[in-house]
């Protein structure tokens, strides 16, 4: 595992097309992800490598570097900390060959350790409710995230073909919050 590097972006676009669906991340958007991941020259997003190839990633934004996720829906009134003290977990995807081996938790823990060093008090994210075997929410709950709200059709304005086969995406996002002061 290592921090995201700008040279990774074209390979990440290919990987996201395979893992999430064609067009979920355009190269220009990945460049924005890269910029939002930076604070004082340090990158807070991570990639998972196997045999020199990128097999997964965790995009994370330090407090103050983000305004929203890919969809609409933030319930800040339910958070224990202000948005200015809250980081954002944008996306985590691991190659199917490596899922179920703890890599999602390990790569997220790297990001969490790094975010704590900035003084972040919490992390918010949107979990894919319809993920196979409820893996997205199960892993986030194992990290200590708690449910804040659900947002129907959260990704409907993202122009891509959802893994569920819908365009637009009709899936639900569960907004979840991890209080780093309690962890």
């Amino acid at each position: 595992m290592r921090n995201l590097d700008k040279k990774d972006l074209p390979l990440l676009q290919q990987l996201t097309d395979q893992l999430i669906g064609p067009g979920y991340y355009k190269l220009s958007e990945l460049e924005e992800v890269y910029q939002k991941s930076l604070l004082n020259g340090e990158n807070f997003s991570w990639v998972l490598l196997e045999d020199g190839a990128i097999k997964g990633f965790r995009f994370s934004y330090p407090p103050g570097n983000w305004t929203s996720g890919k969809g609409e829906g933030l319930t800040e009134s339910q958070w224990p900390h202000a948005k200015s003290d809250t980081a954002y977990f944008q996306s985590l995807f691991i190659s199917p060959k490596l899922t179920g081996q703890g890599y999602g938790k390990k790569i997220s823990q790297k990001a969490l350790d790094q975010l704590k060093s900035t003084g972040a008090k919490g992390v918010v994210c949107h979990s894919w409710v319809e993920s196979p075997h409820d893996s997205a929410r199960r892993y986030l709950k194992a990290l200590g995230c708690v449910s804040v709200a659900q947002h129907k059709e959260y990704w409907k304005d993202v122009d891509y073909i959802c893994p569920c086969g819908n365009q637009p995406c009709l899936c639900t996002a569960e907004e979840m919050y991890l209080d780093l002061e309690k962890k």
Side-chain angles (χ1 to χ4, degrees):
M1 283 180 257
R2 66 165 168 75
N3 292 98
L4 175 65
D5 189 286
K6 194 164 188 167
K7 71 179 187 299
D8 298 328
L9 300 183
L11 295 173
L12 275 174
Q13 184 186 22
Q14 292 173 13
L15 184 63
T16 61
D17 281 354
Q18 292 170 1
L19 297 179
I20 309 169
Y24 188 80
Y25 279 111
K26 294 167 182 52
L27 188 56
S28 60
E29 187 177 9
L30 287 172
E31 289 171 3
E32 290 174 20
V33 165
Y34 180 81
Q35 291 303 317
K36 289 178 185 177
S37 299
L38 292 173
L39 181 65
N40 300 325
E42 187 176 4
N43 197 301
F44 288 77
S45 288
W46 288 77
V47 293
L48 173 65
L49 302 169
E50 182 185 66
D51 299 325
I54 297 174
K55 297 294 182 175
F57 60 91
R58 153 54 68 213
F59 294 154
S60 59
Y61 307 148
N65 282 22
W66 65 280
T67 55
S68 67
K70 286 196 64 96
E72 296 294 322
L74 289 173
T75 316
E76 295 174 53
S77 64
Q78 299 299 310
W79 302 354
H81 304 290
K83 189 175 187 180
S84 60
D85 294 321
T86 299
Y88 188 76
F89 270 1
Q90 174 61 47
S91 292
L92 167 81
F93 285 92
I94 305 293
S95 173
K97 178 180 152 194
L98 299 176
T99 58
Q101 299 177 40
Y103 288 111
K105 187 174 183 179
K106 288 176 189 172
I107 200 168
S108 293
Q109 192 59 55
K110 291 276 192 185
L112 289 171
D113 291 344
Q114 202 178 13
L115 289 166
K116 286 179 192 176
S117 74
T118 70
K121 294 180 179 178
V123 179
V124 70
C125 59
H126 290 90
S127 174
W128 180 28
V129 171
E130 293 85 357
S131 67
H133 312 290
D134 200 26
S135 61
R137 287 189 297 175
R138 285 187 307 116
Y139 126 81
L140 288 165
K141 286 178 183 177
L143 277 179
C145 295
V146 296
S147 179
V148 173
Q150 285 199 352
H151 306 282
K152 302 271 186 213
E153 299 179 2
Y154 177 79
W155 294 277
K156 71 178 181 221
D157 294 326
V158 180
D159 185 21
Y160 84 114
I161 298 172
C162 176
C164 293
N166 294 317
Q167 187 176 14
C169 176
L170 303 176
C171 293
T172 302
E174 185 160 341
E175 182 181 347
M176 302 182 83
Y177 196 96
L178 175 60
D179 188 341
L180 293 176
E181 291 193 326
K182 290 184 178 180
K183 187 166 171 63

